[in-house]
Short mmCIF file of all heavy atoms in Angstrom, two decimals:
data_model
loop_
_atom_site.label_atom_id
_atom_site.label_comp_id
_atom_site.label_asym_id
_atom_site.label_seq_id
_atom_site.Cartn_x
_atom_site.Cartn_y
_atom_site.Cartn_z
N MET A 249 0.83 -1.17 -0.05
CA MET A 249 0.03 -0.03 0.00
C MET A 249 0.83 1.28 0.01
O MET A 249 1.92 1.26 0.65
CB MET A 249 -0.88 0.05 1.27
CG MET A 249 -1.83 -1.08 1.38
SD MET A 249 -3.07 -1.12 0.09
CE MET A 249 -3.54 -2.81 0.29
N THR A 250 0.35 2.20 -0.67
CA THR A 250 1.09 3.57 -0.58
C THR A 250 0.25 4.48 0.20
O THR A 250 0.85 5.56 0.67
CB THR A 250 1.28 4.20 -2.05
OG1 THR A 250 -0.02 4.25 -2.65
CG2 THR A 250 2.15 3.27 -2.86
N LYS A 251 -0.99 4.22 0.34
CA LYS A 251 -1.99 5.14 1.05
C LYS A 251 -3.15 4.44 1.64
O LYS A 251 -3.67 3.68 0.89
CB LYS A 251 -2.34 6.20 0.11
CG LYS A 251 -2.77 7.51 0.70
CD LYS A 251 -3.05 8.55 -0.40
CE LYS A 251 -3.81 9.69 0.14
NZ LYS A 251 -4.27 10.58 -0.93
N VAL A 252 -3.41 4.64 2.87
CA VAL A 252 -4.68 4.04 3.43
C VAL A 252 -5.38 5.27 4.21
O VAL A 252 -4.76 5.93 4.94
CB VAL A 252 -4.26 2.87 4.40
CG1 VAL A 252 -5.59 2.30 4.94
CG2 VAL A 252 -3.47 1.82 3.67
N SER A 253 -6.73 5.21 4.07
CA SER A 253 -7.39 6.19 4.83
C SER A 253 -8.78 5.71 5.21
O SER A 253 -9.30 4.78 4.67
CB SER A 253 -7.64 7.58 4.03
OG SER A 253 -8.32 7.30 2.81
N VAL A 254 -9.40 6.31 6.26
CA VAL A 254 -10.80 6.11 6.71
C VAL A 254 -11.49 7.32 6.56
O VAL A 254 -11.08 8.42 7.01
CB VAL A 254 -10.73 5.69 8.19
CG1 VAL A 254 -12.15 5.43 8.61
CG2 VAL A 254 -9.89 4.36 8.21
N ASP A 255 -12.66 7.33 5.84
CA ASP A 255 -13.43 8.54 5.74
C ASP A 255 -14.43 8.72 6.83
O ASP A 255 -14.59 7.89 7.71
CB ASP A 255 -14.05 8.64 4.30
CG ASP A 255 -15.16 7.71 4.04
OD1 ASP A 255 -15.96 7.28 5.05
OD2 ASP A 255 -15.40 7.22 2.87
N ASP A 256 -15.20 9.90 6.82
CA ASP A 256 -16.08 10.19 7.89
C ASP A 256 -17.33 9.45 7.95
O ASP A 256 -18.27 9.80 8.77
CB ASP A 256 -16.15 11.70 8.08
CG ASP A 256 -16.84 12.31 6.94
OD1 ASP A 256 -17.33 11.61 6.04
OD2 ASP A 256 -16.94 13.53 6.81
N THR A 257 -17.53 8.49 7.09
CA THR A 257 -18.80 7.68 7.10
C THR A 257 -18.67 6.52 8.08
O THR A 257 -19.57 5.76 8.33
CB THR A 257 -19.09 7.10 5.77
OG1 THR A 257 -18.09 6.35 5.33
CG2 THR A 257 -19.40 8.24 4.76
N CYS A 258 -17.41 6.40 8.68
CA CYS A 258 -17.25 5.22 9.68
C CYS A 258 -18.16 5.29 10.77
O CYS A 258 -18.52 6.45 11.27
CB CYS A 258 -15.74 5.48 10.12
SG CYS A 258 -15.42 4.47 11.63
N ILE A 259 -18.66 4.15 11.10
CA ILE A 259 -19.63 4.07 12.18
C ILE A 259 -19.09 3.42 13.53
O ILE A 259 -19.78 2.98 14.41
CB ILE A 259 -20.92 3.19 11.75
CG1 ILE A 259 -20.57 1.83 11.28
CG2 ILE A 259 -21.75 4.03 10.68
CD1 ILE A 259 -21.77 0.92 11.08
N ALA A 260 -17.77 3.34 13.51
CA ALA A 260 -17.05 2.83 14.65
C ALA A 260 -17.49 1.39 15.06
O ALA A 260 -17.65 1.23 16.27
CB ALA A 260 -17.15 3.88 15.77
N CYS A 261 -17.66 0.56 14.13
CA CYS A 261 -18.07 -0.79 14.50
C CYS A 261 -16.96 -1.66 15.11
O CYS A 261 -17.11 -2.67 15.72
CB CYS A 261 -18.67 -1.52 13.26
SG CYS A 261 -17.50 -1.99 11.98
N GLY A 262 -15.72 -1.32 14.79
CA GLY A 262 -14.54 -1.99 15.30
C GLY A 262 -14.02 -3.02 14.42
O GLY A 262 -13.00 -3.70 14.74
N THR A 263 -14.69 -3.41 13.40
CA THR A 263 -14.29 -4.60 12.57
C THR A 263 -12.85 -4.46 12.05
O THR A 263 -12.12 -5.36 12.15
CB THR A 263 -15.31 -4.70 11.36
OG1 THR A 263 -16.55 -4.88 11.93
CG2 THR A 263 -14.90 -6.01 10.49
N CYS A 264 -12.54 -3.24 11.50
CA CYS A 264 -11.12 -3.10 10.95
C CYS A 264 -10.02 -3.26 12.00
O CYS A 264 -9.06 -3.79 11.74
CB CYS A 264 -11.08 -1.82 10.23
SG CYS A 264 -11.31 -0.36 11.16
N VAL A 265 -10.39 -2.79 13.17
CA VAL A 265 -9.46 -2.83 14.24
C VAL A 265 -9.14 -4.35 14.73
O VAL A 265 -8.15 -4.81 14.98
CB VAL A 265 -9.86 -2.05 15.50
CG1 VAL A 265 -8.89 -2.15 16.66
CG2 VAL A 265 -9.98 -0.59 15.12
N GLU A 266 -10.35 -5.06 14.70
CA GLU A 266 -10.20 -6.50 15.01
C GLU A 266 -9.47 -7.20 13.95
O GLU A 266 -8.64 -8.14 14.30
CB GLU A 266 -11.55 -7.13 15.03
CG GLU A 266 -12.33 -7.07 16.30
CD GLU A 266 -13.74 -7.71 16.24
OE1 GLU A 266 -13.96 -8.74 15.57
OE2 GLU A 266 -14.56 -7.08 16.85
N ILE A 267 -9.60 -6.90 12.68
CA ILE A 267 -9.01 -7.66 11.63
C ILE A 267 -7.41 -7.24 11.59
O ILE A 267 -6.52 -8.01 11.28
CB ILE A 267 -9.61 -7.35 10.33
CG1 ILE A 267 -11.00 -8.06 10.21
CG2 ILE A 267 -8.77 -7.92 9.12
CD1 ILE A 267 -11.97 -7.75 9.07
N CYS A 268 -7.16 -5.93 11.61
CA CYS A 268 -5.81 -5.48 11.37
C CYS A 268 -5.50 -4.36 12.48
O CYS A 268 -5.39 -3.16 12.09
CB CYS A 268 -5.74 -4.85 9.99
SG CYS A 268 -4.09 -4.55 9.48
N PRO A 269 -5.23 -4.81 13.71
CA PRO A 269 -4.96 -3.75 14.72
C PRO A 269 -3.70 -3.12 14.57
O PRO A 269 -3.37 -2.08 15.29
CB PRO A 269 -5.04 -4.62 16.08
CG PRO A 269 -4.79 -6.08 15.63
CD PRO A 269 -5.29 -6.16 14.16
N ASP A 270 -2.77 -3.73 13.73
CA ASP A 270 -1.43 -2.98 13.49
C ASP A 270 -1.66 -1.65 12.67
O ASP A 270 -0.76 -0.77 12.71
CB ASP A 270 -0.48 -3.87 12.81
CG ASP A 270 -0.04 -5.03 13.63
OD1 ASP A 270 0.01 -4.89 14.87
OD2 ASP A 270 0.33 -6.06 13.08
N VAL A 271 -2.69 -1.63 11.97
CA VAL A 271 -2.94 -0.43 11.14
C VAL A 271 -4.07 0.40 11.50
O VAL A 271 -3.94 1.67 11.49
CB VAL A 271 -3.20 -0.94 9.66
CG1 VAL A 271 -3.62 0.27 8.73
CG2 VAL A 271 -1.91 -1.67 9.03
N PHE A 272 -5.17 -0.07 12.03
CA PHE A 272 -6.27 0.69 12.32
C PHE A 272 -6.48 0.84 13.92
O PHE A 272 -6.18 -0.07 14.54
CB PHE A 272 -7.61 0.04 11.81
CG PHE A 272 -7.54 0.05 10.28
CD1 PHE A 272 -7.23 -1.23 9.58
CD2 PHE A 272 -7.85 1.09 9.47
CE1 PHE A 272 -7.14 -1.33 8.24
CE2 PHE A 272 -7.79 1.09 8.10
CZ PHE A 272 -7.52 -0.10 7.47
N GLU A 273 -7.01 2.01 14.25
CA GLU A 273 -7.27 2.21 15.76
C GLU A 273 -8.74 2.92 15.70
O GLU A 273 -9.06 3.69 14.88
CB GLU A 273 -6.23 2.89 16.47
CG GLU A 273 -6.01 4.32 15.90
CD GLU A 273 -4.78 4.91 16.57
OE1 GLU A 273 -4.27 4.40 17.56
OE2 GLU A 273 -4.44 6.07 16.17
N LEU A 274 -9.39 2.89 16.97
CA LEU A 274 -10.65 3.55 17.07
C LEU A 274 -10.29 4.72 18.02
O LEU A 274 -9.65 4.54 19.05
CB LEU A 274 -11.66 2.69 17.84
CG LEU A 274 -12.62 1.93 16.83
CD1 LEU A 274 -13.53 0.96 17.65
CD2 LEU A 274 -13.40 2.80 15.91
N GLU A 275 -10.70 5.87 17.54
CA GLU A 275 -10.58 7.03 18.49
C GLU A 275 -11.88 7.72 18.68
O GLU A 275 -12.41 8.33 17.70
CB GLU A 275 -9.58 8.12 17.74
CG GLU A 275 -8.15 7.79 17.86
CD GLU A 275 -7.25 8.72 17.17
OE1 GLU A 275 -7.81 9.91 16.84
OE2 GLU A 275 -6.08 8.48 16.97
N GLY A 276 -12.48 7.47 19.70
CA GLY A 276 -13.84 8.01 20.00
C GLY A 276 -14.78 7.32 19.05
O GLY A 276 -14.88 6.02 19.10
N ASP A 277 -15.45 8.02 18.12
CA ASP A 277 -16.46 7.38 17.36
C ASP A 277 -16.09 7.27 15.81
O ASP A 277 -16.92 7.27 15.06
CB ASP A 277 -17.78 8.22 17.41
CG ASP A 277 -17.73 9.70 16.95
OD1 ASP A 277 -16.53 10.10 16.68
OD2 ASP A 277 -18.68 10.45 17.01
N ILE A 278 -14.68 7.22 15.63
CA ILE A 278 -14.38 7.02 14.23
C ILE A 278 -12.98 6.30 14.30
O ILE A 278 -12.11 6.48 15.28
CB ILE A 278 -14.10 8.45 13.49
CG1 ILE A 278 -14.10 8.17 12.01
CG2 ILE A 278 -12.93 9.18 14.05
CD1 ILE A 278 -14.36 9.40 11.17
N ALA A 279 -12.82 5.41 13.28
CA ALA A 279 -11.51 4.65 13.12
C ALA A 279 -10.50 5.59 12.33
O ALA A 279 -10.84 6.44 11.53
CB ALA A 279 -11.84 3.40 12.47
N SER A 280 -9.27 5.24 12.59
CA SER A 280 -8.23 5.97 11.83
C SER A 280 -7.07 5.10 11.60
O SER A 280 -6.92 4.05 12.20
CB SER A 280 -7.80 7.36 12.68
OG SER A 280 -7.31 6.89 13.86
N VAL A 281 -6.19 5.67 10.72
CA VAL A 281 -4.99 4.77 10.35
C VAL A 281 -3.90 5.30 11.54
O VAL A 281 -3.72 6.43 11.68
CB VAL A 281 -4.53 5.06 9.07
CG1 VAL A 281 -3.14 4.38 8.78
CG2 VAL A 281 -5.50 4.66 8.06
N LYS A 282 -3.36 4.36 12.09
CA LYS A 282 -2.35 4.67 13.21
C LYS A 282 -1.14 5.47 12.56
O LYS A 282 -0.76 5.19 11.38
CB LYS A 282 -1.73 3.37 13.76
CG LYS A 282 -2.71 2.68 14.75
CD LYS A 282 -1.95 1.46 15.34
CE LYS A 282 -2.76 0.83 16.42
NZ LYS A 282 -2.12 -0.32 16.99
N ASN A 283 -0.59 6.28 13.35
CA ASN A 283 0.67 6.93 12.95
C ASN A 283 1.84 5.90 12.88
O ASN A 283 1.87 5.00 13.71
CB ASN A 283 1.22 7.93 13.98
CG ASN A 283 0.41 9.25 13.87
OD1 ASN A 283 -0.05 9.57 12.85
ND2 ASN A 283 0.39 10.00 14.94
N GLY A 284 2.54 5.83 11.83
CA GLY A 284 3.56 4.85 11.64
C GLY A 284 3.14 3.55 11.29
O GLY A 284 3.85 2.44 11.54
N ALA A 285 1.83 3.26 10.86
CA ALA A 285 1.23 2.06 10.62
C ALA A 285 2.02 1.28 9.53
O ALA A 285 2.64 1.90 8.60
CB ALA A 285 -0.17 2.19 10.21
N ASP A 286 2.10 -0.09 9.68
CA ASP A 286 2.79 -0.93 8.67
C ASP A 286 1.94 -1.07 7.53
O ASP A 286 1.08 -2.03 7.55
CB ASP A 286 3.25 -2.23 9.40
CG ASP A 286 4.01 -3.15 8.41
OD1 ASP A 286 4.29 -2.68 7.29
OD2 ASP A 286 4.47 -4.21 8.87
N LEU A 287 2.18 -0.36 6.48
CA LEU A 287 1.27 -0.42 5.31
C LEU A 287 1.68 -1.58 4.29
O LEU A 287 1.08 -1.69 3.34
CB LEU A 287 1.27 0.89 4.62
CG LEU A 287 0.70 2.13 5.30
CD1 LEU A 287 0.68 3.36 4.46
CD2 LEU A 287 -0.56 1.80 6.02
N SER A 288 2.70 -2.32 4.80
CA SER A 288 3.00 -3.49 3.98
C SER A 288 2.11 -4.71 4.23
O SER A 288 2.16 -5.70 3.54
CB SER A 288 4.43 -3.91 4.21
OG SER A 288 4.48 -4.47 5.49
N LEU A 289 1.14 -4.49 5.13
CA LEU A 289 0.18 -5.52 5.52
C LEU A 289 -0.96 -5.50 4.55
O LEU A 289 -2.24 -5.53 4.93
CB LEU A 289 -0.34 -5.45 7.00
CG LEU A 289 0.75 -5.58 8.05
CD1 LEU A 289 0.13 -5.02 9.37
CD2 LEU A 289 1.12 -6.92 8.20
N ASP A 290 -0.66 -5.78 3.23
CA ASP A 290 -1.64 -5.55 2.11
C ASP A 290 -2.89 -6.42 2.34
O ASP A 290 -4.02 -5.94 2.26
CB ASP A 290 -1.03 -5.88 0.82
CG ASP A 290 -0.06 -4.68 0.37
OD1 ASP A 290 0.76 -4.48 1.31
OD2 ASP A 290 -0.07 -4.39 -0.73
N GLU A 291 -2.68 -7.63 2.51
CA GLU A 291 -3.74 -8.57 2.59
C GLU A 291 -4.72 -8.26 3.80
O GLU A 291 -5.99 -8.31 3.60
CB GLU A 291 -3.30 -9.97 2.83
CG GLU A 291 -2.70 -10.67 1.50
CD GLU A 291 -2.20 -12.06 1.68
OE1 GLU A 291 -2.73 -12.71 2.61
OE2 GLU A 291 -1.54 -12.48 0.68
N LYS A 292 -4.17 -7.93 4.88
CA LYS A 292 -5.05 -7.51 6.04
C LYS A 292 -5.79 -6.16 5.84
O LYS A 292 -6.91 -6.05 6.25
CB LYS A 292 -4.10 -7.42 7.28
CG LYS A 292 -3.75 -8.83 7.93
CD LYS A 292 -4.98 -9.47 8.50
CE LYS A 292 -4.63 -10.88 8.95
NZ LYS A 292 -5.94 -11.70 9.30
N ILE A 293 -5.13 -5.19 5.15
CA ILE A 293 -5.74 -4.00 4.96
C ILE A 293 -6.90 -4.19 3.90
O ILE A 293 -8.00 -3.69 4.06
CB ILE A 293 -4.74 -2.99 4.35
CG1 ILE A 293 -3.78 -2.60 5.42
CG2 ILE A 293 -5.37 -1.64 3.83
CD1 ILE A 293 -2.40 -1.91 4.96
N ILE A 294 -6.66 -4.93 2.94
CA ILE A 294 -7.76 -5.25 1.96
C ILE A 294 -8.94 -6.03 2.55
O ILE A 294 -10.09 -5.72 2.37
CB ILE A 294 -7.21 -5.94 0.76
CG1 ILE A 294 -6.26 -5.17 -0.07
CG2 ILE A 294 -8.36 -6.55 -0.20
CD1 ILE A 294 -5.44 -5.93 -1.13
N GLU A 295 -8.56 -7.06 3.41
CA GLU A 295 -9.64 -7.74 4.15
C GLU A 295 -10.48 -6.74 5.07
O GLU A 295 -11.68 -6.87 5.03
CB GLU A 295 -8.90 -8.76 5.05
CG GLU A 295 -9.86 -9.75 5.75
CD GLU A 295 -9.15 -10.82 6.56
OE1 GLU A 295 -7.92 -10.99 6.38
OE2 GLU A 295 -9.81 -11.31 7.51
N ALA A 296 -9.71 -5.92 5.77
CA ALA A 296 -10.52 -4.91 6.54
C ALA A 296 -11.31 -4.00 5.71
O ALA A 296 -12.54 -3.76 6.07
CB ALA A 296 -9.47 -4.17 7.40
N ALA A 297 -10.86 -3.56 4.63
CA ALA A 297 -11.62 -2.67 3.71
C ALA A 297 -12.93 -3.43 3.17
O ALA A 297 -14.07 -2.80 3.13
CB ALA A 297 -10.75 -2.15 2.56
N GLU A 298 -12.71 -4.73 2.84
CA GLU A 298 -13.85 -5.44 2.38
C GLU A 298 -14.84 -5.73 3.40
O GLU A 298 -16.01 -5.87 3.12
CB GLU A 298 -13.30 -6.66 1.55
CG GLU A 298 -12.63 -6.30 0.23
CD GLU A 298 -12.00 -7.50 -0.45
OE1 GLU A 298 -11.98 -8.62 0.11
OE2 GLU A 298 -11.69 -7.40 -1.62
N ALA A 299 -14.33 -5.81 4.63
CA ALA A 299 -15.28 -6.21 5.83
C ALA A 299 -15.98 -5.02 6.36
O ALA A 299 -16.95 -5.20 7.04
CB ALA A 299 -14.38 -6.95 6.89
N CYS A 300 -15.55 -3.84 6.00
CA CYS A 300 -16.20 -2.52 6.47
C CYS A 300 -17.59 -2.55 6.05
O CYS A 300 -17.78 -2.52 4.79
CB CYS A 300 -15.43 -1.39 6.06
SG CYS A 300 -16.10 0.20 6.59
N PRO A 301 -18.58 -2.50 6.89
CA PRO A 301 -19.97 -2.53 6.40
C PRO A 301 -20.43 -1.21 5.77
O PRO A 301 -21.43 -1.24 4.97
CB PRO A 301 -20.76 -2.65 7.83
CG PRO A 301 -19.84 -2.08 8.91
CD PRO A 301 -18.35 -2.40 8.30
N VAL A 302 -19.68 -0.03 5.84
CA VAL A 302 -20.11 1.11 5.23
C VAL A 302 -18.98 1.61 4.20
O VAL A 302 -19.12 2.75 3.77
CB VAL A 302 -20.45 2.21 6.25
CG1 VAL A 302 -21.72 1.90 6.99
CG2 VAL A 302 -19.38 2.35 7.32
N GLU A 303 -18.18 0.72 3.82
CA GLU A 303 -16.94 1.06 2.83
C GLU A 303 -16.30 2.32 3.10
O GLU A 303 -16.15 3.15 2.16
CB GLU A 303 -17.68 1.09 1.48
CG GLU A 303 -18.22 -0.42 1.18
CD GLU A 303 -18.83 -0.52 -0.20
OE1 GLU A 303 -18.79 0.56 -0.99
OE2 GLU A 303 -19.43 -1.63 -0.64
N SER A 304 -15.95 2.51 4.41
CA SER A 304 -15.21 3.75 4.82
C SER A 304 -13.71 3.74 4.48
O SER A 304 -13.02 4.77 4.61
CB SER A 304 -15.40 4.05 6.27
OG SER A 304 -16.72 4.10 6.59
N ILE A 305 -13.18 2.50 4.24
CA ILE A 305 -11.71 2.40 4.12
C ILE A 305 -11.29 2.42 2.70
O ILE A 305 -11.83 1.76 1.86
CB ILE A 305 -11.29 1.09 4.77
CG1 ILE A 305 -11.69 1.03 6.25
CG2 ILE A 305 -9.77 0.92 4.58
CD1 ILE A 305 -11.48 -0.38 6.90
N HIS A 306 -10.25 3.28 2.41
CA HIS A 306 -9.80 3.49 1.06
C HIS A 306 -8.41 3.24 1.01
O HIS A 306 -7.62 3.61 1.92
CB HIS A 306 -10.16 5.00 0.59
CG HIS A 306 -11.65 5.27 0.80
ND1 HIS A 306 -12.61 4.80 -0.14
CD2 HIS A 306 -12.29 5.89 1.68
CE1 HIS A 306 -13.77 5.22 0.33
NE2 HIS A 306 -13.58 5.85 1.51
N TYR A 307 -7.82 2.70 -0.13
CA TYR A 307 -6.41 2.39 -0.18
C TYR A 307 -5.93 2.53 -1.67
O TYR A 307 -6.74 2.43 -2.57
CB TYR A 307 -5.98 1.01 0.38
CG TYR A 307 -6.70 -0.07 -0.30
CD1 TYR A 307 -6.32 -0.56 -1.47
CD2 TYR A 307 -7.93 -0.64 0.23
CE1 TYR A 307 -6.93 -1.76 -2.11
CE2 TYR A 307 -8.55 -1.74 -0.36
CZ TYR A 307 -8.09 -2.22 -1.55
OH TYR A 307 -8.74 -3.37 -2.14
N GLU A 308 -4.65 2.72 -1.77
CA GLU A 308 -4.01 2.79 -2.95
C GLU A 308 -2.88 1.79 -2.95
O GLU A 308 -2.11 1.78 -1.98
CB GLU A 308 -3.50 4.18 -3.32
CG GLU A 308 -4.52 5.17 -3.67
CD GLU A 308 -3.92 6.52 -3.77
OE1 GLU A 308 -2.67 6.63 -4.07
OE2 GLU A 308 -4.67 7.46 -3.65
N LYS A 309 -2.66 1.01 -3.96
CA LYS A 309 -1.62 0.01 -3.97
C LYS A 309 -0.33 0.61 -4.37
O LYS A 309 -0.34 1.39 -5.14
CB LYS A 309 -2.10 -1.15 -4.86
CG LYS A 309 -3.11 -2.19 -4.22
CD LYS A 309 -3.16 -3.38 -5.00
CE LYS A 309 -4.28 -4.34 -4.45
NZ LYS A 309 -4.33 -5.52 -5.13
S1 SF4 B 104 -14.80 -1.31 9.74
FE1 SF4 B 104 -15.49 0.55 8.83
S2 SF4 B 104 -17.11 1.32 9.94
FE2 SF4 B 104 -16.14 -0.30 11.19
S3 SF4 B 104 -14.72 0.83 12.50
FE3 SF4 B 104 -13.50 0.26 10.63
S4 SF4 B 104 -13.78 2.01 9.14
FE4 SF4 B 104 -15.25 2.21 10.81
#
């Protein structure tokens, strides 16, 4: 990955954090990408993006 982001449609369900805690974290009522996250975890990032119920996770390979 070169870029991963979470947009403001996130409903803070926690799924992405469960799937890939090295990259995503929950801050209050929105998920975000951790500072210094390991963006080489492509498969997990894609899995989290596909599992997000509201398609809030965006990435560029
Ligand atoms: S899976 Fe989607 S809706 Fe759930 S916390 Fe992550 S970004 Fe937000």
Side-chain angles (χ1 to χ4, degrees):
M249 297 298 159
T250 55
K251 202 174 164 190
V252 181
S253 62
V254 178
D255 70 32
D256 63 8
T257 60
C258 169
I259 56 171
C261 71
T263 301
C264 58
V265 180
E266 273 178 39
I267 293 172
C268 192
D270 290 334
V271 172
F272 300 99
E273 64 185 351
L274 269 177
E275 283 178 11
D277 59 359
I278 196 160
S280 61
V281 177
K282 286 182 169 180
N283 281 334
D286 182 358
L287 301 186
S288 69
L289 296 170
D290 292 43
E291 285 183 16
K292 284 289 178 190
I293 292 167
I294 292 168
E295 188 182 337
E298 289 180 348
C300 177
V302 288
E303 298 182 0
S304 302
I305 300 170
H306 308 280
Y307 58 84
E308 287 172 25
K309 285 195 182 178

